[in-house]
Amino acid sequence: QVQLVESGGGLVQAGDSLQLSCAASGRTSSNYAMGWFRQAPGKEREFVAAIRIGGFTYYKDSAKGRFTISRDNAKNTVYLQMNSLKPEDTGVYFCAARRYSGSVYVPSGYEYWGQGTQVTVSS
């Protein structure tokens, strides 16, 4: 079992930055690929970024160049640095962990999820 707790969300203006954190407890998160997803009101949960065990990273096209995912295995924590935020980045951001190989883009492939943290970007 892995428990995930997100933090760092908030209300910011367009162009601002935020850093989200995902603290993992239970089994060490270093054995898991970690992902960030977001869900806007009335929309499906969508992939934002992921990082594999070996450190390879993946990003949603609209996040490339603005967001950076990283992990600190010693702290069992994954981060999402978000710069140049836009109103369309608004949503609840969820951290997720997956044990097995496969596509990191699909929510159904992740075994564990956090409760989410709200990010609101005003124009």
Side-chain angles (χ1 to χ4, degrees), residues 57-107:
T57 57
Y58 306 78
Y59 295 96
K60 176 180 175 66
D61 284 346
S62 63
K64 291 178 182 177
R66 299 190 299 126
F67 293 6
T68 303
I69 187 171
S70 61
R71 64 194 305 163
D72 185 336
N73 291 334
K75 295 183 177 180
N76 260 358
T77 301
V78 176
Y79 304 97
L80 185 66
Q81 177 67 40
M82 305 187 293
N83 300 327
S84 303
L85 282 162
K86 303 176 182 180
E88 50 264 42
D89 295 319
T90 293
V92 179
Y93 281 69
F94 297 89
C95 174
R98 60 176 294 144
R99 180 69 176 88
Y100 302 104
S101 62
S103 173
V104 298
Y105 298 100
V106 181

Side-chain angles (χ1 to χ4, degrees), residues 3-7 21-25 36 77-78 95 113-117:
Q3 293 79 43
L4 303 173
V5 178
E6 303 95 335
S7 61
S21 298
C22 173
S25 60
W36 286 97
T77 301
V78 176
C95 174
W113 290 84
Q115 292 300 305
T117 185

Side-chain angles (χ1 to χ4, degrees), residues 28-49:
T28 176
S29 64
S30 62
N31 294 327
Y32 293 77
M34 303 296 294
W36 286 97
F37 291 77
R38 71 184 177 206
Q39 189 164 17
K43 295 187 177 181
E44 293 187 353
R45 194 167 297 188
E46 64 175 356
F47 171 81
V48 176

Side-chain angles (χ1 to χ4, degrees), residues 7-20 82 85-87 89-91 93 117-123:
S7 61
L11 171 62
V12 296
Q13 294 186 333
D16 285 351
S17 298
L18 276 177
Q19 185 182 64
L20 305 183
M82 305 187 293
L85 282 162
K86 303 176 182 180
D89 295 319
T90 293
Y93 281 69
T117 185
Q118 176 71 46
V119 172
T120 304
V121 185
S122 63
S123 58

